[in-house]
Amino acid sequence: MARQVRRAFRYRFYPTSEQAAELSRTFGCVRLVYNRALEERTRAWHGEQRRISYAESSAMLTEWKRTEELAFLTEVSCVPLQQALRHLQTGFTNFFGKRAKYPRFKSKKRSRASAEYTRSAFTFRDGQLTLAKMVGPLDIRWSRPLPEGVSPSTVTVSRDSAGRWFVSMLCEDTITPAPVTTRAVGIDAGITSLVTLSTGEKITNPKHERRDRARLARAQRELSRKAKGSANREKARRRVAKIHARIADRRRDHLHKLSTRLVRENQTVVIEDLTVRNLLKNHSLARAISDAAWRELRSMLEYKCAWYGRELVVIDRYFPSSKLCGACGTVAAKLPLHVRTWTCACGATQDRDVNAAKNLLAAGLAASACGDGVRPQRESSRTGQSSVKQETQRATAGTPRL
């Protein structure tokens, strides 16, 4: 059965000089309002132990516009300013709900410049988008069509560090589930091979950052030689940002193609719950792990499986997928990272990555059958093992290799 989802469609556009100036002013005002409201909320909490609501922040914004110092806030659309306050309110809601850290101030240099417009602040007619306070429509490159007969509910305009302009339109889209299949796949993430499948296939890691590392290093050296505050330094900074953007775009494109293929071909997708943040503490592998973008691949698999009616099973991070022999169920005592092939006491020779992917698949099928393993499991206080690990070891021990 088809389902309705909220989906963002992102396009690049090329503003005129007047539009660019108007959007730049809007970005600055959004950042100022957000930071001022955050400052007031922080002062009220630490000084008076009092929480400021969104309604109170909105009233403060009205008072700020009446002052001579901040009268320029009236020159831009009020909707992005109100949306900034709503985003701040969401940040505090997540903080008090212990789902996020305390909101941080937006930096002019480090934060992404963006502004969000709701339906009252833009016009979308005949395939043309016109924002509030602007005379003409934006020159958008329509790389793919919007859903037929659907008008965006929210429009977010942004400018990245490379100076590229993007518009993201949030629409209601109808997603048709993929045809049901009996295939299932276990996925083991790696560095030499980006992922290894339980079928034995190894997807080569493109290593996008490594391919452009020489260009990036040369551009960064040129940037370091430029005088701070000069126009030449800004040009050099823009060149560095463009190289980073090129790397990120190619990596994202590859991950989208890979995740879409895995979701289309398999009814059940099994992955491991990797703690990428902790893995990045290994300074010898941090750069390669960041370039592989395992967390981004998992995010793509999560929402695409939900969209197309697939099942995503996440196995406990403590499950010994690499050390567990897929033939007899014996767990090797030690298996250093440089050992890529090992022989078990039963005589079976295992490829480290393929064996891990097969064990993950067996664990995922066992966990799916008992309704466990969809989320990372906590360790049992009595046995020190998760229910997924126990179920998997029972399912894989003494069974033939998949």
Side-chain angles (χ1 to χ4, degrees), residues 178-214:
V180 177
T181 178
T182 58
R183 297 184 61 179
V185 66
I187 303 174
D188 179 65
I191 295 177
T192 304
S193 298
L194 181 61
V195 294
T196 300
L197 307 183
S198 55
T199 58
E201 180 184 0
K202 295 187 177 183
I203 308 297
T204 304
N205 186 357
K207 299 180 180 179
H208 298 292
E209 186 273 338
R210 188 170 184 175
R211 290 169 59 185
D212 280 350
R213 188 172 297 177

Side-chain angles (χ1 to χ4, degrees), residues 93-153:
T93 300
N94 292 333
F95 168 72
F96 289 119
K98 297 183 179 181
R99 294 184 295 272
K101 295 182 179 181
Y102 193 83
R104 296 186 299 176
F105 290 96
K106 291 185 179 293
S107 169
K108 182 177 181 180
K109 295 182 179 180
R110 296 179 178 85
S111 299
R112 183 177 70 108
S114 64
E116 185 175 285
Y117 296 79
T118 57
R119 284 178 176 172
S120 61
F122 68 85
T123 302
F124 184 74
R125 186 180 297 112
D126 299 329
Q128 292 187 326
L129 178 67
T130 305
L131 301 178
K133 300 286 186 177
M134 293 186 184
V135 178
L138 299 180
D139 182 16
I140 301 176
R141 298 295 186 265
W142 299 99
S143 55
R144 56 175 174 167
L146 287 174
E148 187 176 355
V150 175
S151 180
S153 59

Side-chain angles (χ1 to χ4, degrees), residues 12 30 54 79 151 248 337:
R12 189 172 180 180
V30 166
Y54 163 75
V79 173
S151 180
L337 192 60

Side-chain angles (χ1 to χ4, degrees), residues 258-296:
L258 174 60
S259 59
T260 299
R261 175 202 157 188
L262 294 173
V263 171
R264 283 178 177 175
E265 294 179 352
N266 302 279
Q267 185 68 31
T268 303
V269 180
V270 185
I271 60 176
E272 189 175 7
D273 180 34
L274 296 175
T275 53
V276 179
R277 180 178 299 179
N278 292 338
L279 294 173
L280 291 176
K281 295 178 181 179
N282 183 339
H283 299 293
S284 300
L285 299 175
R287 196 168 191 173
I289 293 173
S290 298
D291 193 23
W294 297 333
R295 189 63 186 87
E296 189 172 2

Side-chain angles (χ1 to χ4, degrees), residues 35-50:
N35 289 342
R36 283 240 174 177
L38 176 56
E39 183 180 4
E40 291 296 330
R41 282 174 172 261
T42 303
R43 182 184 299 113
W45 175 253
H46 291 290
E48 309 171 18
Q49 291 296 302
R50 179 174 63 89

